[in-house]
């Protein structure tokens, strides 16, 4: 009886946010799926069609954009997480407990400050007369400005690695904080070196955090619009830019919806495969 | 250890590099955003005062952000409270759906809302932006409020009810004051996210641009960039102030409930 009223209260309480998510998220996502089967204006005169999908998957332009988005995102994710791990490790293991939240705060501040301007400033840093080129010229390391660092996929990767840094650091930090420090002492007491302790105890225990940060960086970056637009040039254009063009320029909603659905499916499959590949690691050792 | 510390400092420089550049170019007396610098000026800041389109977009953004903050915090209170206090069927799935916008690419959220509003024949405008912003801010509010509600000692509420308070009275007089720091911090964070959000506003703004949408239109004109830098400087200073306030509230809440600080917003 008590339990029933408890679950009834819980459901009543969660119903407003749930209803909102159903109306504003689940419904619209279903609508996107529906639109992906609607014929384009020059398409077949039927109610539903698979032509959008055959076109999207057959057209080398769309295919290339999707593959490139996934590759750029994967590279950005790898770099972001690799750069983030030592920071999370440093804060968790070497910063005194009282200063930990200060460090986390310092890391999250840039993330909350004007996204557009932050990305635009990477254009300033990487550009021909930018900070990087002027600095390297002054130091005499190069004779002419480097042209290959802006308007290409590498610039997108660098900028994304910057924009998503806190997203990667926090989950790893949380996982590291959970590690029982006596396990590390035990390993060293039993004769393992510090380095081997790190690879055989700390790192395996941190896997759930690393997996979480990989997903939390990879999934949103595949659909990033601003970064490729500002620093990517034509070589660094990604699928979100094409989705925007389909919706807002060409007014081709069926194709925009189809590209969105395909992107989501790709992201979901890759994420699931990644989680599955790491499942043994996550279960056996925690 | 020392190697790690040096790495951490270099990493901080990497994180802050763009933000440090902002004021440098905002006070630079040159129309090109590049080195070398040309001398100091405050004219870009005074130019800000004269742009009416900018002022309108700031008003639009404030309007959107305030309403978004209130609604996402209200929804966040419901979800965080239900999650901390009650067991109910399909809890994981329900919470998962509500938290989904946290990881979903924003462009997907934006186009799916656009398609719905256009198909239903709604006029897109500020209120459609608000609907989208509430969706993406609610998970952040929940994340912040979760720790407030979880830190709450249920025996305090039981005591109030044993002493004759109704459930609702207990919530108003006991629970709410105790989680107030979390609420304030959720309001501030949701406000900050909404003020800064671009993609959803870009797709759903119609003829009334928010500040980021206005900024985006300005980035195309090289001669407008110094003014954008000045504006960016002001925005950065303001958002840092808001964040410090939010963080102070969060810590105050933790101290009051006697909990140990485990760090960060997320």
């Amino acid at each position: 009886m008590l339990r029933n009223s408890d679950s009834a209260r819980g459901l009543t309480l969660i119903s407003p946010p749930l209803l909102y998510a159903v109306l504003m998220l689940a419904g619209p996502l279903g609508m996107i799926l529906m639109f992906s089967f609607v014929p384009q204006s020059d398409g077949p005169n039927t109610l539903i069609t698979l032509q959008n999908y055959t076109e999207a998957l057959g057209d080398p332009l769309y295919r290339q954009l999707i593959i490139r988005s996934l590759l750029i995102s994967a590279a950005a994710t790898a770099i972001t997480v690799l750069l983030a791990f030592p920071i999370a490790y440093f804060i968790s293991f070497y910063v005194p407990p009282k200063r930990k939240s200060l460090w986390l705060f310092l890391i999250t501040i840039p993330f909350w400050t004007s996204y557009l301007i932050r990305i635009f400033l990477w254009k300033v840093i990487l550009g021909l007369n930018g900070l990087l080129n002027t600095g390297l010229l002054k130091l005499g390391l190069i004779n002419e400005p480097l042209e290959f660092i802006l308007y290409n996929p590498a610039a997108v990767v660098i900028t994304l690695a910057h924009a998503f840094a806190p997203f990667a650091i926090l989950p790893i930090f949380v996982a590291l904080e959970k590690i029982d420090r006596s396990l590390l002492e035990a390993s060293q007491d039993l004769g393992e070196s510090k380095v081997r302790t790190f690879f055989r105890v700390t790192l395996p225990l941190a896997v759930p955090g690393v997996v979480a940060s990989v997903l939390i960086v990879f999934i949103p970056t595949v659909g990033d619009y601003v970064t490729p637009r500002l620093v990517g040039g034509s070589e660094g254009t990604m699928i979100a830019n094409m989705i925007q063009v389909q919706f807002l320029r060409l007014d081709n909603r069926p194709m925009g919806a189809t590209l969105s659905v395909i992107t989501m499916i790709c992201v979901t499959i890759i994420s699931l495969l990644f989680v599955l590949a790491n499942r043994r690691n996550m279960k056996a050792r925690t | 250890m020392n190697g790690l510390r040096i790495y951490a400092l270099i990493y901080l420089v990497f994180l802050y590099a763009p933000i440090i550049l902002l004021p440098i170019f905002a006070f630079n007396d040159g129309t090109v955003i590049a080195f070398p610098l040309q001398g100091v000026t405050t004219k870009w800041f005074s130019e800000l005062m004269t742009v009416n389109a900018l002022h309108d977009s700031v008003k639009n953004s404030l309007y959107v952000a305030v309403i978004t903050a209130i609604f996402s915090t209200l929804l966040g209170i419901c979800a965080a409270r239900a999650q901390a206090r009650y067991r109910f069927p399909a809890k994981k799935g329900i919470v998962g759906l509500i938290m989904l916008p946290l990881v979903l690419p924003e462009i997907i959220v934006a186009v799916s809302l656009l398609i719905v509003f256009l198909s239903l024949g709604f006029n897109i405008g500020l209120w459609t932006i608000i609907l989208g912003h509430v969706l993406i801010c609610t998970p952040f509010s929940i994340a912040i409020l979760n720790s407030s509600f979880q830190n709450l000692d249920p025996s305090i509420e039981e005591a109030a009810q044993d002493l004759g308070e109704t459930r609702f009275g207990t919530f108003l007089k006991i629970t709410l004051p105790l989680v107030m720091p979390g609420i304030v911090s959720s309001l501030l964070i949701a406000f900050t996210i909404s003020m800064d959000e671009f993609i959803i506003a870009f797709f759903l703004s119609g003829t009334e641009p928010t500040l980021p949408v206005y900024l985006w239109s300005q980035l195309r004109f090289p001669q407008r960039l110094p003014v954008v830098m000045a504006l960016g400087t002001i925005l950065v200073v303001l958002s840092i102030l808001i964040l410090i306030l939010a963080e102070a509230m969060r810590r105050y809440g933790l101290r009051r409930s006697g909990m140990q600080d485990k760090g960060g917003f997320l």
Side-chain angles (χ1 to χ4, degrees), chain A residues 9 20 83 106 114 121 162, chain B residues 7 15-16 18 131 167 196:
Chain A
R9 281 216 182 84
Y20 196 82
L83 289 178
L106 279 178
S114 191
L121 283 165
H162 179 264
Chain B
Y7 174 76
L15 279 186
Y16 279 84
L131 287 175
R167 263 175 186 281
D196 198 36

Side-chain angles (χ1 to χ4, degrees), chain B residues 69-70 72-74 77 140-141 144-145 148-149 176-192 241-253 256 265:
Chain B
I70 293 170
S72 55
T73 303
L74 284 175
I77 291 174
F140 284 93
S141 291
I144 296 165
L145 290 162
S148 305
F149 278 103
L176 218 49
L178 281 173
V179 295
M180 197 41 94
I183 292 176
V184 175
S185 147
S186 152
L187 285 171
L188 292 171
I189 293 295
F191 177 85
T192 315
L241 287 179
I242 292 179
L243 288 170
I244 291 176
L245 196 61
E247 171 73 2
M249 285 313 284
R250 196 185 60 82
R251 288 194 192 184
Y252 171 67
R256 219 167 48 161
F265 288 117

Side-chain angles (χ1 to χ4, degrees), chain A residues 75-85 157 160-162 164-166 168 217, chain B residues 11:
Chain A
T77 308
I79 290 177
T80 313
V81 173
L82 283 176
L83 289 178
F85 192 92
V157 170
L160 287 176
H162 179 264
F164 283 83
V217 176
Chain B
Y11 194 84

